[in-house]
Amino acid sequence: ARHGPTRCRAASLPLSLPQSPSVSLRGCGPGGPPVASMSPARALRVLFCGEPEFGAGFRAVRGALEAAGRLVHGGDAGEGVVGVEVARCTRGALRDWLPWADVAVPLMARLDAPLLRYWARAPVEYPRAIFQFGVGLEGVDVEAATREGIWVANIPSSAMELSPNAASCAEMAILLALACLRRWNAMQTAIQYHKSGLPMGEALLGKRCLVIGFGSIAQELIVRLQAFGVDVRAVRGRSWEQGDEGRLAQRARDALESRGTGRDELLAMSREADVVFLTCVQTESTRGMINAEFLNSCKDGISIVNVARGGLLDYSAVMAGLKTGRVGALGLDVHWSEPIDPDDEIAKHPNVILTPHVAGVTKISYDSMGSFMARQLIHLQGSGTAPSTTMNLPLGGDRSASPLRRK
């Protein structure tokens, strides 16, 4: 198996790691995003941390850079070359290849404190940055990155016109809900055995839908669910008094029959739900939130759709719910471990619908995110400007600095 980054030369790897970077970082001020003082003599190096997973993102960024005339190919990335070189490696080879990179795109890789400390000691000509192709940063130790002087950024839907990633995820959530209610797996079995008119399914019409979270995906989902004649309710962790900007958020608010806040109201609202949609961020407080307590509060036969993160579901509780019928159907685009093992007990259950983490993997979504990331990388290469979606404030590796979270 190939373990090095695609289109990278082994000679590019540093042979020794100095104790501190040579680039100085200036923090955010009223004049704009953070800027690095630097005099680079080579192309900016960007490493996608996973091969072949999510290869379409790698290709989208390369394509956007090439269209802008700023893509540098590995064989041409010598001294004095201006542009951006993009490579990728397997997760297993990450420690070997991370010192080569100025920017790491984590994908599903874990960037923890020891690995970030190791990376920060490598030779540097540009400021270090972690730049997620998408939203999720669960695998990144943001506080450790801040201590090591590493910028951390992602691509929230709000950063792009029309929010194509959130819209794509909302569409997938509806697809999974319909597949659960219409018993997709049983339909395939009926075809296999030459049966017609089976199975009897459920319509989405008239159902009570509970959306957990109220970010961009939830908002896109809520306005789309209106067309199906359902009763939509939503619950989130923070107060609804904290305003959500934009017309989409207001349309989604107006479409809700009721709103809830916090765990107690989540449990109360789940009692009447027919379909539960998970769209919220996975944190330490939300990990395993769909547990035995939650399922015991639901009616028998509840359908659960997850397009957020696999760790939101407690595996044992969900498996028990499938066996007893408390969970009638499960639609999962994200899983406890990825890629999911097809022989996993839940994966093989007849009432479970699986897709391979592709909710946001659509051409419009990836083209938009690829163009956004390419523009930000070009600015970083040319002027040392941090991505506009940077969420922390590293001050030259100042260990007293703490992240400034984006709202």
Side-chain angles (χ1 to χ4, degrees):
R2 182 187 180 100
H3 294 293
T6 303
R7 304 186 194 279
C8 288
R9 300 164 299 160
S12 298
L13 277 173
L15 300 179
S16 61
L17 303 180
Q19 294 296 315
S20 60
S22 59
V23 171
S24 64
L25 304 179
R26 300 201 303 273
C28 292
V35 178
S37 300
M38 62 182 192
S39 299
R42 58 164 173 76
L44 178 74
R45 296 169 176 170
V46 180
L47 182 66
F48 277 68
C49 307
E51 182 184 16
E53 59 193 23
F54 296 98
F58 170 78
R59 293 188 292 273
V61 174
R62 283 177 56 87
L65 288 167
E66 191 160 32
R70 302 300 291 273
L71 179 66
V72 175
H73 295 279
D76 303 323
E79 293 292 319
V81 174
V82 176
V84 182
E85 183 181 4
V86 185
R88 57 181 171 176
C89 71
T90 62
R91 277 192 263 179
L94 182 55
R95 184 176 176 86
D96 293 333
W97 286 98
L98 197 54
W100 172 89
D102 305 303
V103 178
V105 182
L107 300 175
M108 301 300 292
R110 176 149 182 78
L111 300 180
D112 58 18
L115 187 58
L116 293 173
R117 189 177 307 117
Y118 168 77
W119 185 30
R121 294 174 60 185
V124 62
E125 292 189 50
Y126 289 93
R128 298 257 187 247
I130 296 166
F131 198 173
Q132 181 64 294
F133 190 82
V135 179
L137 288 164
E138 293 83 3
V140 177
D141 189 330
V142 179
E143 292 187 4
T146 302
R147 291 195 302 269
E148 300 297 340
I150 301 170
W151 288 327
V152 180
N154 63 357
I155 310 179
S157 294
S158 58
M160 296 176 292
E161 187 177 2
L162 299 180
S163 301
N165 184 64
S168 298
C169 291
E171 290 177 4
M172 178 62 82
I174 292 173
L175 183 153
L176 288 170
L178 292 171
C180 286
L181 292 170
R182 301 305 295 267
R183 302 179 62 192
W184 178 264
N185 290 339
M187 287 193 284
Q188 306 313 300
T189 301
I191 291 173
Q192 182 181 355
Y193 286 96
H194 305 277
K195 302 289 185 182
S196 295
L198 296 172
M200 174 72 76
E202 291 280 350
L204 193 51
L205 176 67
K207 292 291 186 289
R208 289 194 174 109
C209 297
L210 176 60
V211 178
I212 302 178
F214 196 69
S216 296
I217 295 174
Q219 293 165 21
E220 295 282 359
L221 173 60
I222 289 165
V223 297
R224 283 164 172 75
L225 284 172
Q226 281 186 290
F228 289 87
V230 300
D231 175 328
V232 190
R233 304 166 185 210
V235 62
R236 67 179 185 182
R238 63 187 177 93
S239 170
W240 289 89
E241 298 305 317
Q242 302 175 31
D244 300 281
E245 298 179 0
R247 288 188 296 175
L248 177 63
Q250 191 56 55
R251 286 177 59 200
R253 277 176 176 259
D254 292 344
L256 294 175
E257 291 294 326
S258 62
R259 304 185 302 227
T261 305
R263 181 74 179 179
D264 290 344
E265 293 188 11
L266 168 65
L267 296 176
M269 295 173 75
S270 68
R271 296 188 182 102
E272 297 182 343
D274 301 300
V275 183
V276 172
F277 293 93
L278 287 161
T279 70
C280 59
V281 175
Q282 180 178 304
T283 65
E284 286 305 312
S285 63
T286 61
R287 185 184 299 275
M289 65 185 298
I290 305 303
N291 56 14
E293 179 190 36
F294 176 88
L295 295 177
N296 287 337
S297 72
C298 296
K299 61 174 69 172
D300 283 342
I302 186 76
S303 292
I304 300 174
V305 172
N306 189 4
V307 293
R309 285 293 181 267
L312 296 172
L313 276 63
D314 180 305
Y315 185 96
S316 298
V318 170
M319 187 69 251
L322 285 166
K323 290 178 177 178
T324 63
R326 176 55 60 98
V327 178
L330 198 60
L332 303 178
D333 184 59
V334 289
H335 317 112
W336 292 268
S337 61
E338 297 187 9
I340 192 169
D341 181 355
D343 291 326
D344 180 281
E345 188 176 10
I346 284 183
K348 293 191 298 183
H349 195 283
N351 293 345
V352 175
I353 312 293
L354 298 177
T355 52
H357 201 151
V358 290
V361 185
T362 60
K363 188 175 188 304
I364 187 173
S365 174
Y366 269 47
D367 284 351
S368 297
M369 291 196 296
S371 295
F372 178 85
M373 180 172 277
R375 289 194 301 271
Q376 301 296 318
L377 293 172
I378 289 169
H379 290 154
L380 174 54
Q381 188 277 323
S383 62
T385 303
S388 60
T389 54
T390 296
M391 60 178 58
N392 67 337
L393 182 62
L395 299 173
D398 182 355
R399 295 179 182 274
S400 66
S402 59
L404 295 180
R405 309 282 185 179
R406 289 184 80 248
K407 297 294 186 184

